[in-house]
Amino acid sequence: MNEFDKKIRQMAAEEKIKMPDHVQKRMETTLSALPTKGSKQKRPVLLQRIAAAAACVVFALIFIMPNVSVVYAQSVEKIPVIGDLIRVVTIRNYFYADPTHEMNINVPSISDEDNTSAADYINDDVDKLTQKLLEQFYNDLEEFGKQGHGSIYVDYDVQTNTQRWFTLRLSIQLISGSSNQYFEYYHIDRATGNIVKLADLFNTEDFNQTLTDQIKVQMHERMEKDESLVYFADDAEIGHDCAYVGDEHNFYFNENGDLVIPFDKYEVAPGYMGNPEFVIALDDIQDILKDEFKNINSIK
């Protein structure tokens, strides 16, 4: 058993599970109704109360408490290691369901024996984000109860995993009246062991405007070809440049090795447009890219 396997088992064993107050009170009320030793209560009534308590416990374990599955930790031993690729597993799953609420959060954990600090950074950031969403869901459930409606879904996928480059995408979907979906991207340059942000790809500080200008051109071209498409390319009423690309804006490299700039839902377009993406050919930005990122073969 390697260090990664030991770490997963330890995390699963030490996971702190906090039950919402209203569920805890419901269980305590049910359990306190059980007869004490020596009670002469009739057997059928006793069995009914035991069954009710058991059902309450099962409900809490399955639908309320975060489900830390040991199966995930044990299954790591069965995952094949191909070359020196980064290993990714689901370390925890949080699930809840009632007639008006649903939560399903899959928490990944990555292991890169050559770049442990980068892997630890991603794992810590993902854990903080999922814990925040989990807390928000339980707080809303506690405050609004059956009067509210809401769902949270979190999942992930590995977009690139080579000896040179790694990209993990976290998908978050929030539903409460309307729905929203956004993504978080994490990148490791395995040649250096560094976490890579968008600004790290460029050799100039004004790359932001270059990317923004190219994206606006694409927006206008798309709207000219299809009248049903709407982008906030130059909307003065909004008060700021929605299409502006910041230093830590999400990005990824597609299968052709070109740079893709994704936007969150509602960020640069109405909700019905979903999550728009814009492809920037590396050939068009060669003069502002750092040398190590100019060739597709150096990334993929």
Side-chain angles (χ1 to χ4, degrees):
M1 183 185 303
N2 61 29
E3 293 300 321
F4 181 54
D5 300 327
K6 292 179 180 179
K7 181 179 179 180
I8 289 180
R9 291 176 182 274
Q10 182 180 0
M11 290 175 68
E14 295 177 353
E15 176 70 15
K16 296 180 180 180
I17 301 175
K18 185 179 183 303
M19 188 181 302
D21 293 339
H22 68 286
V23 178
Q24 178 71 28
K25 292 178 181 179
R26 190 192 312 177
M27 289 187 63
E28 291 175 353
T29 300
T30 304
L31 293 173
S32 64
L34 292 174
T36 57
K37 184 176 180 181
S39 171
K40 296 183 180 180
Q41 197 167 25
K42 293 183 179 180
R43 181 180 178 84
V45 177
L46 172 61
L47 292 177
Q48 290 175 2
R49 291 190 173 181
I50 292 176
C56 183
V57 172
V58 170
F59 174 81
L61 290 175
I62 296 179
F63 297 106
I64 303 295
M65 296 170 64
N67 174 29
V68 184
S69 177
V70 180
V71 175
Y72 288 130
Q74 293 175 340
S75 66
V76 173
E77 298 176 355
K78 302 178 182 179
I79 297 177
V81 180
I82 304 175
D84 296 322
L85 304 188
I86 294 177
R87 305 173 73 183
V88 183
V89 297
T90 301
I91 190 63
R92 288 187 298 275
N93 170 259
Y94 298 97
F95 179 78
Y96 173 91
D98 67 25
T100 56
H101 301 85
E102 187 170 349
M103 173 185 65
N104 195 351
I105 298 178
N106 290 314
V107 183
S109 178
I110 74 170
S111 173
D112 185 357
E113 296 181 358
D114 296 328
N115 304 299
T116 56
S117 60
D120 289 344
Y121 171 87
I122 294 176
N123 291 335
D124 182 63
D125 199 70
V126 170
D127 184 66
K128 288 179 180 177
L129 175 58
T130 53
Q131 288 299 323
K132 182 179 180 180
L133 292 170
L134 186 68
E135 181 179 355
Q136 174 187 331
F137 179 84
Y138 279 139
N139 286 342
D140 291 344
L141 190 65
E142 186 78 27
E143 181 176 356
F144 301 108
K146 295 181 179 180
Q147 296 179 353
H149 293 77
S151 300
I152 295 180
Y153 305 99
V154 179
D155 210 346
Y156 66 92
D157 64 286
V158 177
Q159 292 202 317
T160 305
N161 191 5
T162 71
Q163 294 183 356
R164 178 67 172 85
W165 192 262
F166 174 81
T167 296
L168 176 75
R169 182 178 72 170
L170 200 68
S171 171
I172 302 99
Q173 184 177 16
L174 308 175
I175 302 175
S176 181
S178 61
S179 65
N180 188 17
Q181 183 176 30
Y182 63 95
F183 301 93
E184 294 290 340
Y185 290 81
Y186 300 92
H187 312 279
I188 299 178
D189 182 351
R190 302 196 69 210
T192 62
N194 294 330
I195 294 291
V196 180
K197 304 293 185 180
L198 182 63
D200 299 327
L201 302 177
F202 299 94
N203 57 27
T204 176
E205 295 182 356
D206 61 355
F207 77 92
N208 313 81
Q209 197 59 51
T210 300
L211 297 182
T212 300
D213 290 343
Q214 290 205 26
I215 288 172
K216 285 185 176 181
V217 169
Q218 293 187 36
M219 287 180 172
H220 287 295
E221 290 176 346
R222 293 182 186 182
M223 289 189 288
E224 289 177 2
K225 292 179 180 179
D226 187 344
E227 294 182 355
S228 68
L229 302 182
V230 176
Y231 294 103
F232 307 143
D234 299 295
D235 194 333
E237 294 182 1
I238 295 178
H240 67 283
D241 193 344
C242 295
Y244 183 77
V245 178
D247 289 358
E248 298 189 3
H249 194 98
N250 279 331
F251 77 94
Y252 68 91
F253 293 102
N254 63 16
E255 294 180 355
N256 295 324
D258 290 322
L259 181 66
V260 181
I261 304 296
F263 287 89
D264 293 338
K265 190 175 180 180
Y266 305 107
E267 189 175 5
V268 294
Y272 75 88
M273 296 282 287
N275 298 74
E277 294 186 345
F278 300 88
V279 178
I280 309 294
L282 292 193
D283 290 342
D284 295 337
I285 53 176
Q286 285 288 303
D287 58 331
I288 62 173
L289 278 173
K290 291 181 180 178
D291 290 340
E292 58 266 35
F293 302 118
K294 288 184 177 181
N295 192 320
I296 179 60
N297 293 326
S298 68
I299 299 296
K300 306 292 282 184

